[in-house]
Amino acid sequence: MKRTSPHRPGFTLVEMLVVISIIGILTTLSVAAVMRARTSILTGFLKSECSAFETAIEGYKLKYGDYPPDFSNVEIVDRHYRRIFPEILDSELVLLFRLCDDLPDASQGNTSGNYVASVMDRAEALIWAVGGFSSDPQRPFTGTGGPLVLLPGVDTTTANYQVDPANYQYNSERDNALTELEASNLSIKSPSADSAMSYGNRAESDDELALAGGGFSGLQSRNDLFPVYRYREGHAPYVYFDSRTYDAFGPNLMVDLGNLTNVQLNGYAFGDGDEYNVVRPILSDQVSTNPSTVSNPVVAALRFWKFVNSNTFQVLSPGLDGVYGNIADFDITTGDSVGGPATGGNPSDGSAVYIQYPTGKIVVPVAGAASPASIVNAAVSSYNVNQLTNAGSESYVKDNVASFSKTSFEDDLP
């Protein structure tokens, strides 16, 4: 009698493919969920750092009775420090001015140049303020624990040695800090231990060295004593804007282009040789009910809209990609985005671009604008600046974070 083998049920090829497909889908969903969770956690960290800076700035006002300047107006800077440090020596303010002028520090001596608002840029002004000043009422900058310290071996019998920028280095042991600053996140280059300390071998910031090959020249391709604070190496830093100068308009407010007559609207910018990385104070979606009348027609147009935190300040982070955005200007004649900082609102040169929160629209102030709506570019919404001609392929601004945002700009969209 012939015996038959019992039937053994198994998976068909189709069933196997279905199972594999399901596993693949579940894996993809799991990976995506993990990535979203990781992004959310890291964005939350950036928000917490912005909030820490916000608390520090409020602590500054509580301590000194005024918000710190962002150095875009030299008169405000001088008035501020004379007010909060009534016993300050003139030499302190002269030194600060010379550190922010257009003369090379190495050979400046006792000569002062022209104040340049971008030498202490909006990222450096933040750390200058919250890093702490000396308790010496006469020497808040150069006294014990202040942000600046004399180099070893400086001849203190030399006339006016206190006001020569070449005699100082950054003090990494500042007192009275208003927030905790991770040393590795500061753009401080330590001096070489193999050589004697000097102007060429001192503790200073290296954040502006990257600008040397980015189309910038002169002032911004040198080392300086003003560090910035970054989430990680290679990222743009946190920046600070003072409400008193949100719509400042004048020479070299953003970056030195080797032309001290170049007129710009306030902001922070740098270039890496391929493109610009630009941020300006953020506008709100609230129309100004009584816009100020000013002589400059571009600023007058800008004042159709209120800024976010219109009476205080803004602290901004470039988000996880470390880039604020690559749109600085907009040519209203051709509809093209224009590389480089705005040079005065002339349509042929490009007019400054401002981001509006939380709508993600852009505002382009131009001379002769008749209404708030007339300076809003209809092509852009939800931070999709890549909708502009020649704007690139990515809206970097979407993941930016601010002291006033809930999370990232994109996640805060209504």
Side-chain angles (χ1 to χ4, degrees), residues 24-42:
I25 292 171
L26 292 176
T27 301
T28 300
L29 292 175
S30 297
V31 170
V34 170
M35 291 300 296
R36 283 195 301 270
R38 182 177 182 273
T39 298
S40 178
I41 291 170
L42 293 177

Side-chain angles (χ1 to χ4, degrees), residues 70-73 100 115-122 251-253:
D70 65 8
F71 281 75
S72 55
N73 182 297
C100 295
Y115 182 83
V116 180
S118 60
V119 175
M120 174 83 83
D121 64 41
R122 310 304 165 260
N252 291 283
L253 279 165

Side-chain angles (χ1 to χ4, degrees), residues 90-258:
D90 284 343
S91 60
E92 295 285 282
L93 295 171
V94 171
L95 173 63
L96 183 60
F97 181 91
R98 290 180 176 175
L99 285 165
C100 295
D101 69 11
D102 59 346
L103 295 181
D105 293 343
S107 57
Q108 187 167 342
N110 296 324
T111 305
S112 293
N114 300 302
Y115 182 83
V116 180
S118 60
V119 175
M120 174 83 83
D121 64 41
R122 310 304 165 260
E124 295 166 336
L126 174 63
I127 304 308
W128 175 261
V130 305
F133 297 119
S134 173
S135 297
D136 186 331
Q138 294 185 307
R139 297 180 174 84
F141 308 150
T142 65
T144 303
L148 306 174
V149 62
L150 280 171
L151 285 164
V154 168
D155 184 357
T156 57
T157 64
T158 303
N160 298 318
Y161 75 90
Q162 304 101 322
V163 298
D164 188 344
N167 289 340
Y168 292 88
Q169 65 177 334
Y170 180 75
N171 182 15
S172 297
E173 298 180 356
R174 296 172 67 174
D175 293 339
N176 305 311
L178 294 166
T179 190
E180 184 176 349
L181 297 172
E182 180 62 42
S184 62
N185 290 355
L186 287 168
S187 59
I188 293 298
K189 177 177 68 70
S190 298
S192 171
D194 298 329
S195 304
M197 294 181 67
S198 64
Y199 174 79
N201 184 43
R202 60 179 180 169
E204 59 187 353
S205 176
D206 64 0
D207 65 295
E208 291 172 348
L209 288 179
L211 301 177
F216 302 117
S217 61
L219 302 172
Q220 299 289 44
S221 62
R222 68 180 184 183
N223 288 6
D224 67 343
L225 300 184
F226 307 132
V228 300
Y229 195 81
R230 299 173 288 216
Y231 168 59
R232 63 176 49 162
E233 184 68 27
H235 281 209
Y238 292 87
V239 300
Y240 166 77
F241 291 111
D242 173 12
S243 65
R244 290 166 291 192
T245 51
Y246 281 159
D247 56 9
F249 186 92
N252 291 283
L253 279 165
M254 293 181 67
V255 72
D256 171 47
L257 298 175

